[in-house]
């Protein structure tokens, strides 16, 4: 059986210097500028009152107890569980016990929630404005160029991702267009940004999107705007009650004897 004919495209070598390198350099510089712009626009976190901190830390205490229950003996776990469940149900840790049972306040009237919304709008602006400008720049000057060929085979499913802006049906999927190279840089420069700016950087767009979709993972408050803390505490109390405890030390004597024998 004859080998398939390799698809060859005669390209100007200057494409590497006038398209591939400029797009890559501009994307790296844009990420660095986005990082420092995010730092400049970030608001100084306001100092929370002690009762609000106790409310948040108490909920985290229950979550940590559930996650690390196997590290405790049954008696230690039961003691901590009974204390937290009783406190959660009675509203001991609530910042405003007088509001227990009342509907949550409107988030638009909460200054803390408004600050969070403003910070999110600033992050979206820093993320979207540069990408819109770069997208227009690439479409205006580099649209329709095929700049490189990947050295490894790919399936046809990658064609739409790697050949954006090139309307050819028979082109080998390994060829990469200038617009697709932009998208590959957009989502694939995290290692470069970590090397330049460190692990905790705001240059990567995917990381920013994930932090905005999951603000709790980014160190924000455990309560979302408009969420009733009492209902959250009641849910956590139920989670602790239904948890089946087991300990990593259960049967450790038999396991040690089995290893020795």
């Amino acid at each position: 059986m004859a080998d398939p004919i390799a698809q060859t495209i005669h390209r100007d070598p200057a494409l590497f210097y006038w398209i591939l390198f400029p797009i890559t350099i501009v994307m790296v510089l844009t990420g660095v500028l986005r990082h420092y712009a995010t730092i400049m626009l970030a608001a100084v976190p306001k100092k929370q009152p002690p009762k609000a901190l106790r409310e948040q830390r108490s909920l985290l205490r229950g979550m940590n107890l559930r996650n690390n229950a196997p590290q405790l003996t049954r008696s230690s776990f039961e003691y901590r569980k009974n204390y937290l469940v009783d406190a959660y149900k009675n509203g001991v840790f609530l910042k405003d016990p007088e509001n227990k049972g009342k509907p949550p306040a409107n988030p638009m009237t909460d200054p803390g929630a408004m600050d969070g919304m403003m910070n999110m709008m600033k992050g979206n602006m820093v993320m979207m404005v540069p990408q819109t400008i770069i997208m227009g720049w690439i479409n205006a000057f580099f649209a329709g160029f095929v700049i490189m060929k990947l050295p490894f085979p790919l399936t046809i499913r990658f064609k739409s991702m790697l050949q954006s802006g090139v309307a050819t049906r028979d082109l080998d999927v390994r060829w990469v267009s200038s617009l697709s190279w932009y998208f590959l840089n957009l989502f694939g420069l995290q290692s470069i940004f970590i090397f330049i700016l460190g692990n905790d950087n705001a240059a990567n767009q995917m990381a920013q999107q994930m932090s905005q979709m999951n603000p709790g993972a980014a160190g924000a408050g455990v309560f979302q705007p408009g969420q009733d803390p009492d209902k959250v505490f009641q849910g956590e109390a139920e989670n602790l009650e239904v948890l089946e405890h087991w300990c990593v030390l259960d049967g450790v004597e038999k396991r040690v004897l089995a290893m020795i024998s």
Side-chain angles (χ1 to χ4, degrees):
M1 184 176 178
D3 295 333
I5 300 175
Q7 192 178 67
T8 304
I9 297 179
H10 298 283
R11 294 166 295 116
D12 189 346
L15 291 177
F16 280 94
Y17 304 105
W18 296 104
I19 297 181
L20 189 142
F21 289 159
I23 292 177
T24 305
I25 294 173
V26 168
M27 292 299 297
V28 172
L29 294 179
T30 302
V32 175
L33 292 177
R34 185 190 301 119
H35 170 73
Y36 288 108
T38 302
I39 295 176
M40 293 177 60
L41 294 176
V44 179
K46 296 182 179 179
K47 186 177 180 180
Q48 297 185 355
K51 289 185 177 181
L53 288 175
R54 185 188 66 171
E55 186 180 59
Q56 297 180 9
R57 299 300 184 268
S58 300
L59 181 62
L60 292 176
R61 183 180 177 184
M63 296 178 180
N64 291 332
L65 178 62
R66 282 192 294 112
N67 295 331
N68 300 286
Q71 317 304 325
L72 300 173
T73 61
R74 178 169 294 275
S75 58
S76 299
F77 172 77
E78 291 293 335
Y79 176 80
R80 290 168 171 80
K81 184 189 77 171
N82 294 333
Y83 169 74
L84 289 177
V85 168
D86 184 67
Y88 288 164
K89 290 185 175 180
N90 296 326
V92 175
F93 300 127
L94 291 177
K95 179 180 62 176
D96 300 315
E98 63 276 5
N99 294 332
K100 182 179 179 180
K102 297 181 180 179
N106 187 359
M108 301 302 294
T109 61
D110 185 6
M114 290 298 296
D115 291 341
M117 294 179 184
M118 286 299 298
N119 291 333
M120 185 175 295
M121 291 179 60
K122 292 178 182 178
N124 289 333
M125 181 186 66
V126 173
M127 182 172 55
M128 296 303 298
V129 171
Q131 300 306 331
T132 303
I133 296 175
I134 295 175
M135 192 77 170
W137 170 63
I138 293 177
N139 282 328
F141 294 97
F142 307 128
F145 286 97
V146 177
I147 57 176
M148 63 180 298
K149 185 179 182 180
L150 299 178
F152 46 85
L154 293 171
T155 62
I156 195 64
R157 295 179 180 272
F158 289 90
K159 188 176 182 63
S160 59
M161 181 179 68
L162 296 178
Q163 297 178 4
S164 299
V166 180
T168 55
R169 187 171 56 182
D170 300 327
L171 187 63
D172 189 355
V173 68
R174 291 185 293 173
W175 291 102
V176 181
S177 66
S178 56
L179 188 58
S180 293
W181 181 249
Y182 157 74
F183 287 113
L184 292 175
N185 281 272
L186 184 63
F187 300 112
L189 288 176
Q190 177 63 9
S191 300
I192 303 298
F193 293 141
I194 291 177
F195 177 76
I196 298 175
L197 304 171
N199 290 322
D200 189 14
N201 67 80
N204 185 260
Q205 184 169 354
M206 283 297 295
Q208 280 194 333
Q209 290 177 351
M210 292 299 294
S211 63
Q212 291 178 4
M213 291 172 62
N214 188 14
V222 294
F223 300 106
Q224 301 302 320
Q227 196 173 23
D228 187 3
D230 183 57
K231 291 184 178 179
V232 179
F233 280 127
Q234 298 297 331
E236 185 60 30
E238 183 178 354
N239 293 334
L240 286 172
E241 286 180 327
V242 301
L243 179 65
E244 296 184 3
H245 179 263
W246 65 276
C247 182
V248 294
L249 298 178
D250 292 341
V252 64
E253 301 89 351
K254 296 181 180 179
R255 283 181 281 166
V256 172
L257 292 176
M259 294 174 58
I260 296 175
S261 60

